[in-house]
Amino acid sequence: MKRHSSHSASTATRVAKQPPLSVAAFRTPMGWVAAAASPQGLLRLSLPIPSGGQALSAVGAAGIPARRRGADQLAPLARQVRTFLSGKPVTFTVPLDLGESPPFFRAVWQACATIPRGETRTYGWLAAKAGNPRAVRAAGQAMARNPIPLIIPCHRVIGRNGKLTGFGGGIPMKAALLAMERGTT
């Protein structure tokens, strides 16, 4: 029992020392998107979904008190995401906070971020660009755990057969994002 209570105290201390998060949900042309950021950069970004509450839940911020929300700090990101989801090219300028992620995942995400708008690459391409051409499944896991879709454009990653596969927002959302980027919507 004693061990358990010291673990709980340790967890409580760690939570109390965490820097405040900035959190915002905002409406876009494709639905609501939410973002959560640390002082170092963007931690999470949701894909467009029907409500602000669902978007906040998607970034793990539904229970964050209003006093810790920082919509003003995330306003530039909101403008960039709205522009992107309206079909216009955007260069995202927000810093990312991926520090706690495994190094291979970070390498895969960095490779994914280089895929040009409207183009696609395979999971094998990502694995090779991340430094391990045999780690195709691990590259797929990195995409499945991508905390910042749209900015790390996992919708641009396809199966080796050229088919749209695996996407947290569903295949119809993946197809819609690619069509929007290609100007075919």
Side-chain angles (χ1 to χ4, degrees):
M1 226 16 153
K2 187 176 183 180
R3 185 176 190 195
H4 176 67
S5 49
S6 87
H7 173 29
S8 297
S10 168
T11 301
T13 302
R14 213 177 18 230
V15 169
K17 289 182 179 180
Q18 286 181 346
L21 292 178
S22 295
V23 178
F26 44 92
R27 187 182 298 269
T28 74
M30 293 181 78
W32 284 85
V33 172
S38 73
Q40 290 73 40
L42 187 63
L43 292 164
R44 297 202 164 284
L45 184 70
S46 76
L47 289 165
I49 48 184
S51 78
Q54 289 173 320
L56 287 169
S57 291
V59 297
I64 293 178
R67 71 181 184 283
R68 289 187 59 197
R69 295 191 179 174
D72 291 345
Q73 180 185 0
L74 292 168
L77 171 68
R79 282 190 296 278
Q80 291 173 356
V81 169
R82 284 186 188 108
T83 300
F84 175 79
L85 292 174
S86 72
K88 298 175 186 146
V90 170
T91 300
F92 289 101
T93 59
V94 64
L96 307 182
D97 183 355
L98 302 171
E100 304 242 342
S101 305
F104 182 74
F105 280 23
R106 287 194 313 264
V108 169
W109 295 333
Q110 287 171 348
C112 182
T114 69
I115 302 171
R117 175 184 170 82
E119 294 185 23
T120 57
R121 301 291 187 270
T122 65
Y123 294 97
W125 181 89
L126 280 179
K129 287 291 184 185
N132 189 346
R134 298 179 57 141
V136 175
R137 287 188 182 182
Q141 286 300 312
M143 289 294 93
R145 292 188 176 109
N146 176 8
I148 308 172
L150 304 179
I151 294 175
I152 299 172
C154 50
H155 61 279
R156 297 177 187 158
V157 182
I158 59 173
R160 70 177 173 195
N161 60 3
K163 292 189 178 186
L164 301 184
T165 60
F167 185 66
I171 300 301
M173 170 71 73
K174 187 173 194 164
L177 288 168
L178 286 169
M180 179 225 20
E181 287 185 347
R182 293 173 177 156
T184 57
T185 55

